[in-house]
Amino acid sequence: MPASAALQRHPLSRPSPSAPESGGPFNHPCYRQSSAPPPPPGAPNCRAVSLSLGRWLRTAPGPFRCHSQARCDGAMLALALLAAILGFSDPVDDFDSGPPKGPRLCRFFGPMGEWHDGASVADWQLLPDPVAGGRFMRLTFLAADGTAGCGVYFLLGPEAEDLSPTLSARDLRRYSALSLRMRGAVPDAQAILIELTDGDARHVLVPLPRPSASWAELAIPLDVFAVVDLSRLRKIALVLPPCGAATPSRLDIDDLALISGEPAPSSDDALLDLMERRAWEFFRDGFHAGTGLVWDKSSTPHISSIAATGFGLAALPVAAERGWLKPQDAVSLARRCLSTLLSAPQGEAPDTAGAHGFFYHFLDARNGRRFGDCEVSSIDTALLVVGAVACGEGLADLPGGADIREMAARLATSVEWPWMLDPSRKVFWMGWQPERGFFGSWDYYTDEALLICLLAASSPSHPVPPDVAWAWRRERGSYGGQSLVQTYCGSMFSYLFCSLFIDLRNRTDRHPTDPIDWWANARAAALANLAFCRSQEKDFVTYRKGRFGLSACLAPGTAPWEERYDGDYGALPAAVGPHHDGTLAPYAAAMCLPLFAGQDNPALTALWSFWRDCPRLWGLYGFRDGCNLGRTDSPADDWYASDYVGVCQGPLILGIENFRTGLVWKLTDKSPILRKGRDALFK
């Protein structure tokens, strides 16, 4: 719609000498009458919404009342306060990630950038905020006359069109308002507009108040963008139309966010439901539209992790059971994914999907073949197989679901476990590459090795004797009053990956001389992890207020905006280390929830502390992968991961769901294949 129409209709607008007239010199597409399809049926008229909002602002109670149209600019500040009281927000861009200049992704994992036309200029950089912490964006611009002006944009998903349909245009109907912080020095005549564009190119512009030298928090109700389809939103932009200024102006923006229309969680179940649902949305968006393979990380949508794919498959029946996904869609996604895996080329050539039924750690999500020079992985294949079997059992009773169970069984049957076994030591290799052969070995206790041995003993076609589970070392250690069989690095995930899928409560293994209750062992490891964090909280702020969860996760990089994956984070007891630097992973605490069911639960305490005391940790898919607080005296140096990782989001879902209902355990318990391996190893 023309900008002049937006300025006239929006109730928070005020007259501007630079307001463009229809047919004037503005030729940027956002100023033209849209030729896109009409609004969806039932969408309210923008003028009616504006009048309704204007009436509300003039009749609202207390500090939110605006007695005249001229005072409605101030209502944006009041709405920001109201939103802070009533709900919580998901950042579109808090400008804390990415380099100070150059290509970067916003928090919805689409590109952010500037645009300008003709003689107009727009240049941005990210600067540290020594007071509030993190960084903000400084935009230096000159919106020259005779042009379409300039601005910055934020795409709400990747630009590629072959990904999940939910990524090409976001459903924002659960949000009530768009908020931001703003300050600057701009000419009186300079208009500042927020533009929303949907998947059909419908767009609406809404003016913002003129900024002052101090930070102001604003909130714009999404109702005023009624012409756009909020169920399919594609882009948010800051538009600076020309105003005749001869010198550049400065505008600072921070904390661009969408305010949820949901109330903030006030009970344990509400918090867990919110966390689990948001983590599921990572997988909903991560199933590739063509192959059905799941992305490894939200920032790399064309790289699939087969372990993340296994977790995504296991999450499908959870999502269907909870009503987050239509049952027929769960069956369709599972069929697409399993069809790709079952038809993918296998062999010892370097350009296949795997060898001898095992799969490469990473696959190209577009074609299902090896990505880069990664290895054929025993543990990642195990996570894929057990997730597929759980999925098959969970969908078996749905229309078409029997096929999913049969396909999952075929996938499990195809794995040639003896090929990955070192016969001289009776331990499994970690991986194989055509360029180097076998390498690494599972010769020290970890729950991953336990899962591999259980699946190998389960195989209908290529079984391995269960005594391979007695071949790796079982070394005991103690910390914080807890004695247990330790893992190599003491990382929390390494005690729980098998137990996420297989119910090991009240069971001991069949070791002839040293039987172990691995469930009790994991519980002792969680208490030791908590005790270790408490012992270090004087030096590491992140470990305070009951927070724990030293486990593999994203970690701070060399530069403040860089991050890397660190698989060695852990606590005592451990064979090496402990390796830690103040970084905690919320998913690790979530995995521990079932360990303390029916009693005072330290994992719940930790999750509430992450929620209440680490607000910048929350984002589009729930808690991000990790955080590290108090690294220096400046809050600007607190670090929060910018990304989400499939092998962390999946354990969070399974840990929460097993704590709430035990659903995943019930599904794997129905599988004759998995029961065979469980009963061979456990009593």
Side-chain angles (χ1 to χ4, degrees):
M1 65 187 297
S4 56
L7 288 165
Q8 292 164 5
R9 292 178 180 179
H10 179 48
L12 306 187
S13 65
R14 52 192 168 86
S16 169
S18 63
E21 298 297 329
S22 179
F26 292 83
N27 54 17
H28 185 265
C30 66
Y31 295 121
R32 303 194 195 112
Q33 183 67 41
S34 174
S35 60
N45 176 272
C46 190
R47 174 67 174 169
V49 170
S50 297
L51 293 174
S52 175
L53 179 62
R55 283 193 296 270
W56 182 86
L57 290 169
R58 289 189 291 274
T59 59
F64 306 111
R65 182 181 300 122
C66 287
H67 297 285
S68 67
Q69 192 69 43
R71 294 182 58 190
C72 284
D73 280 350
M76 283 192 178
L77 281 73
L79 283 170
L81 175 61
L82 180 64
I85 295 172
L86 297 180
F88 57 95
S89 63
D90 293 342
V92 174
D93 207 330
D94 52 18
F95 307 105
D96 293 340
S97 65
K101 292 284 293 179
R104 60 184 299 276
L105 299 179
C106 72
R107 293 298 194 187
F108 273 58
F109 304 102
M112 170 261 170
E114 78 282 350
W115 61 266
H116 55 88
D117 178 68
S120 292
V121 176
D123 185 48
W124 62 268
Q125 60 179 321
L126 304 185
L127 301 174
D129 187 334
V131 177
R135 296 183 297 177
F136 63 90
M137 181 189 72
R138 171 157 292 173
L139 179 66
T140 304
F141 67 94
L142 176 63
D145 280 343
T147 73
C150 56
V152 290
Y153 63 87
F154 307 85
L155 290 186
L156 300 184
E159 292 183 283
E161 296 180 356
D162 60 345
L163 304 172
S164 167
T166 54
L167 281 177
S168 60
R170 300 280 190 179
D171 187 347
L172 301 188
R173 288 175 295 180
R174 69 180 174 209
Y175 301 103
S176 61
L178 179 70
S179 66
L180 71 156
R181 295 198 306 141
M182 183 172 68
R183 70 180 180 185
V186 301
D188 289 343
Q190 179 66 63
I192 302 172
L193 310 172
I194 284 283
E195 177 194 28
L196 266 59
T197 304
D198 66 19
D200 291 323
R202 286 185 293 262
H203 45 80
V204 172
L205 292 108
V206 168
L208 298 178
R210 182 170 175 268
S212 67
S214 301
W215 285 109
E217 296 192 19
L218 309 176
I220 307 99
L222 291 183
D223 283 352
V224 303
F225 298 96
V227 170
V228 300
D229 183 358
L230 290 177
S231 71
R232 299 182 61 253
L233 204 71
R234 181 62 182 146
K235 182 180 70 173
I236 297 174
L238 187 71
V239 178
L240 301 160
C243 69
T247 58
S249 300
R250 172 182 58 80
L251 186 66
D252 294 342
I253 298 291
D254 199 5
D255 296 330
L256 180 65
L258 287 159
I259 298 171
S260 176
E262 308 170 85
S266 58
S267 67
D268 293 343
D269 195 63
L271 176 64
L272 296 180
D273 189 79
L274 179 64
M275 289 174 56
E276 188 179 4
R277 175 162 45 88
R278 290 298 188 90
W280 151 247
E281 291 174 3
F282 169 91
F283 291 100
R284 178 202 66 189
D285 292 349
F287 282 100
H288 192 274
T291 62
L293 300 175
V294 174
W295 55 10
D296 172 47
K297 295 188 297 185
S298 44
S299 63
T300 55
H302 284 125
I303 303 175
S304 172
S305 154
I306 60 165
T309 300
F311 281 115
L313 287 169
L316 287 174
V318 174
E321 181 71 20
R322 291 203 166 271
W324 302 331
L325 181 68
K326 294 178 181 178
Q328 62 268 29
D329 291 341
V331 172
S332 176
L333 281 172
R335 178 175 287 109
R336 185 188 312 153
C337 177
L338 291 171
S339 295
T340 295
L341 294 167
L342 290 170
S343 63
Q346 287 267 334
E348 297 189 8
D351 61 345
T352 64
H356 299 273
F358 291 86
F359 287 86
Y360 282 102
H361 191 159
F362 299 108
L363 300 178
D364 189 318
R366 294 164 290 193
N367 57 34
R369 292 175 180 257
R370 182 190 192 188
F371 187 88
D373 61 354
C374 67
E375 82 287 3
V376 169
S377 170
S378 54
I379 179 55
D380 294 277
T381 297
L383 291 166
L384 172 65
V385 168
V386 72
V389 173
C391 176
E393 295 297 336
L395 304 182
D397 295 333
L398 299 176
D403 293 345
I404 304 303
R405 180 163 57 183
E406 186 273 333
M407 295 170 78
R410 284 169 52 199
L411 187 72
T413 302
S414 68
V415 182
E416 300 175 22
W417 294 102
W419 178 72
M420 191 64 80
L421 185 70
D422 179 353
S424 64
R425 296 186 297 156
K426 288 190 174 182
V427 295
F428 283 98
W429 299 107
M430 289 185 172
W432 174 88
Q433 288 175 304
E435 298 84 3
R436 64 186 287 200
F438 292 106
F439 64 91
S441 58
W442 296 104
D443 59 0
Y444 198 94
Y445 162 65
T446 166
D447 228 45
E448 298 162 288
L450 190 61
L451 179 62
I452 292 170
C453 293
L454 188 149
L455 288 172
S458 296
S459 175
S461 56
H462 303 90
V464 169
D467 62 0
V468 296
W470 326 142
W472 25 263
R473 286 181 289 168
R474 304 176 174 211
E475 292 187 352
R476 284 172 169 77
S478 61
Y479 188 83
Q482 303 298 319
S483 179
L484 60 138
V485 179
Q486 66 193 20
T487 60
Y488 197 68
C489 295
S491 193
M492 198 63 242
F493 85 92
S494 62
Y495 292 97
L496 283 167
F497 263 24
C498 182
S499 300
L500 288 171
F501 293 95
I502 310 297
D503 187 358
L504 299 182
R505 294 173 297 177
N506 304 312
R507 294 180 181 273
T508 56
D509 69 16
R510 296 182 182 274
H511 193 285
T513 61
D514 187 21
I516 300 293
D517 179 339
W518 292 110
W519 181 257
N521 195 76
R523 185 177 184 277
L527 291 172
N529 198 296
L530 173 62
F532 182 80
C533 287
R534 284 177 174 170
S535 74
Q536 302 291 314
E537 65 180 23
K538 179 180 178 181
D539 298 321
F540 297 97
V541 174
T542 326
Y543 300 168
R544 298 173 187 171
K545 299 186 178 182
R547 294 186 291 266
F548 75 102
L550 285 164
S551 192
C553 65
L554 292 176
T558 304
W561 58 87
E562 293 178 344
E563 57 192 29
R564 57 189 172 81
Y565 189 79
D566 195 321
D568 294 333
Y569 282 140
L572 292 174
V576 297
H579 168 58
H580 72 110
D581 61 3
T583 302
L584 289 181
Y587 86 89
M591 284 195 303
C592 295
L593 285 166
L595 297 170
F596 304 100
Q599 56 188 287
D600 186 32
N601 199 319
L604 266 175
T605 301
L607 293 173
W608 273 115
S609 184
F610 282 123
W611 170 263
R612 289 170 174 152
D613 302 318
C614 309
R616 287 163 57 198
L617 185 60
W618 186 262
L620 178 64
Y621 300 125
F623 286 130
R624 297 194 193 111
D625 206 53
C627 64
N628 191 322
L629 312 180
R631 302 169 72 205
T632 70
D633 292 336
S634 171
D637 292 328
D638 287 350
W639 177 86
Y640 295 87
S642 63
D643 219 339
Y644 295 87
V645 181
V647 293
C648 301
Q649 294 293 91
L652 184 146
I653 292 175
L654 271 56
I656 292 177
E657 189 59 39
N658 281 332
F659 175 67
R660 298 174 80 186
T661 68
L663 176 61
V664 181
W665 291 333
K666 295 172 185 176
L667 297 181
T668 57
D669 190 57
K670 290 169 58 179
S671 166
I673 294 176
L674 296 180
R675 285 203 309 269
K676 174 188 172 185
R678 183 201 64 192
D679 294 343
L681 267 64
F682 294 91
K683 57 185 177 182

